[in-house]
Amino acid sequence: MKNLKMSLCFIMLFISPLIYGHVSNDSVRVSISIADTSFQHKVPKLYLQKLGGQVRIPIKPSGMKNGQFLFTFKNENYFECILRFDTDNTPFVPFYLSLESDHVQIEYTFPSSTKMAFVSRSSGSKAQDDLARIEKGISEILNKNDEQLRLKYENYDNIASRIDIRNEHYNLDLNEKFLFIKKMSHDPSIYAPVLYLYIVNSIEDWSVDQLKEFLSNHNPREGGSYHKQIKASLAIKEAAYRDDKLRTILNKNLEIQSAIKSIDQKYIYLSLWASWCGPCRSHNKTLISANYKNLGFIGISFDKNLADMLRASKEDNIDKWKQIQMKKGFESEIAKSFGINALPGNILLNDKREIIGINISDQTLEHVIFQK
């Protein structure tokens, strides 16, 4: 009997890691270091967002060690994480977790003379590693295409700003990026949600056929709500941007309708943004510095507090645009109908005030408004 008990104990010791092995991965530890000592005395929060979700859950640090902020939380399929300081408006770029992440280390670095951070080093998350692979691949493509055009045109530096050259560069980049992402989508080693994230963030660059091909080759469960976002964008593309229903929804907002009528430029760019959205604030400054001559702007803010919208629009020098507050944000009819699931977003109108673009990239914007 004694030998039987010992045997059973030995068996249980052997199989218990198989039965209870997931326990070690029930929580996630995140260590965040910042290459800027001015932040080490401020209290941050880490905002967690589930895969493809909209709700961000804030958690406080569990401690500090050797200049690092430490966070511990239950593993509930969180994907996007953003660090925020209550006493500072510094926009932090997000980092990403994969399902098997249990101990993640992230280092933020600030370039000199700017408060915009970037992730300089990371470990412990396949999602973050795969994102770096994608960014590196895209960067290599852009550099290769630039070199290709330099070889094609002897005086490339002098003509690079020409409309036809910019359009050639744009189309070359677009085609090569599509081929690269398609190749990555067939790589079984890559963490699929990262590909979904990339496609959602560059949705305007994808054709109907390309989106259909991607969705048909991936299980909806891999992308969570991102899969639904892509399907929604696909439906809008298939319905065509000049759809009268979308124009009607846009014109139902009397403030927007009045603002559109007051602009006499050939194109109108409705910029959807919020004061609390770091990428939006950065993009505001990009749009202002571009100084487009044939493009009028209308700001649509998702801020619930009017004072926040007015303050941020003045700081970003976009108070010259007509600013419209949309308190319902992502729950508004316009956001739902146009598939606006993240900020910054945009809607582009032509001279007939037809909708010709939704959530377009800056490259696509230039391609449209500068074409002959």
Side-chain angles (χ1 to χ4, degrees), residues 236 240-241 243-250 337-338 355 358:
I236 291 172
Y241 291 139
D243 189 276
D244 287 339
K245 290 181 181 178
L246 291 181
R247 291 184 70 181
T248 301
I249 290 169
L250 201 60
S337 300
F338 283 81
I355 300 161
I358 301 172

Side-chain angles (χ1 to χ4, degrees), residues 273-311:
W273 70 288
S275 65
W276 43 262
C277 168
C280 299
R281 305 294 299 277
S282 177
H283 192 232
N284 287 343
K285 295 169 185 175
T286 299
L287 292 173
I288 287 292
S289 63
N291 195 26
Y292 297 116
K293 300 297 184 183
N294 58 343
L295 184 64
F297 290 89
I298 299 171
I300 299 179
S301 168
F302 281 19
D303 281 294
K304 293 185 178 179
N305 188 310
L306 180 62
D308 290 340
M309 181 191 84
L310 296 175
R311 171 189 54 78

Side-chain angles (χ1 to χ4, degrees), residues 19-36:
I19 300 173
Y20 301 106
H22 67 280
V23 173
S24 63
N25 202 32
D26 271 356
S27 63
V28 182
R29 290 178 296 158
V30 175
S31 307
I32 300 178
S33 57
I34 301 175
D36 186 336

Side-chain angles (χ1 to χ4, degrees), residues 141-338:
I141 286 171
L142 299 181
N143 290 335
K144 183 193 74 173
N145 292 344
D146 194 61
E147 186 61 31
Q148 183 176 328
L149 290 177
R150 287 181 183 280
L151 293 173
K152 182 177 178 179
Y153 299 101
E154 290 183 5
N155 58 338
Y156 177 73
D157 288 334
N158 295 326
I159 63 172
S161 60
R162 239 169 51 187
I163 294 173
D164 59 329
I165 302 299
R166 283 218 307 265
N167 280 340
E168 183 177 353
H169 205 314
Y170 170 77
N171 289 322
L172 186 61
D173 289 346
L174 213 55
N175 292 332
E176 291 294 322
K177 284 192 288 187
F178 287 154
L179 292 174
F180 173 75
I181 293 300
K182 184 177 179 179
K183 179 181 177 181
M184 293 292 280
S185 70
H186 292 294
D187 183 348
S189 70
I190 199 164
Y191 190 53
V194 175
L195 282 174
Y196 272 95
L197 174 70
Y198 178 84
I199 293 170
V200 166
N201 288 342
S202 57
I203 197 73
E204 180 59 27
D205 292 339
W206 291 73
S207 69
V208 168
D209 289 340
Q210 288 163 338
L211 290 177
K212 284 183 175 179
E213 182 179 348
F214 179 83
L215 291 176
S216 67
N217 288 330
H218 288 83
N219 189 319
R221 294 179 181 178
E222 292 177 343
S225 296
Y226 288 130
H227 188 94
K228 295 179 181 178
Q229 291 180 32
I230 295 173
K231 285 189 70 175
S233 296
L234 175 59
I236 291 172
K237 283 176 178 283
E238 288 184 306
Y241 291 139
R242 293 178 177 83
D243 189 276
D244 287 339
K245 290 181 181 178
L246 291 181
R247 291 184 70 181
T248 301
I249 290 169
L250 201 60
N251 289 327
K252 276 171 62 176
N253 186 303
L254 297 181
E255 273 193 288
I256 294 177
Q257 188 182 50
S258 175
I260 289 173
K261 290 180 178 179
S262 69
I263 294 176
D264 57 6
Q265 278 96 336
K266 183 176 180 180
Y267 297 96
I268 297 180
Y269 186 94
L270 282 70
S271 177
L272 287 77
W273 70 288
S275 65
W276 43 262
C277 168
C280 299
R281 305 294 299 277
S282 177
H283 192 232
N284 287 343
K285 295 169 185 175
T286 299
L287 292 173
I288 287 292
S289 63
N291 195 26
Y292 297 116
K293 300 297 184 183
N294 58 343
L295 184 64
F297 290 89
I298 299 171
I300 299 179
S301 168
F302 281 19
D303 281 294
K304 293 185 178 179
N305 188 310
L306 180 62
D308 290 340
M309 181 191 84
L310 296 175
R311 171 189 54 78
S313 61
K314 186 174 183 180
E315 289 176 356
D316 295 350
N317 200 27
I318 60 169
D319 52 339
K320 62 184 73 174
W321 306 347
K322 171 65 177 177
Q323 293 292 338
I324 298 170
Q325 185 185 16
M326 192 170 290
K327 289 184 178 180
K328 290 185 178 180
F330 294 111
E331 296 303 314
S332 65
E333 185 179 13
I334 287 177
K336 289 183 176 180
S337 300
F338 283 81

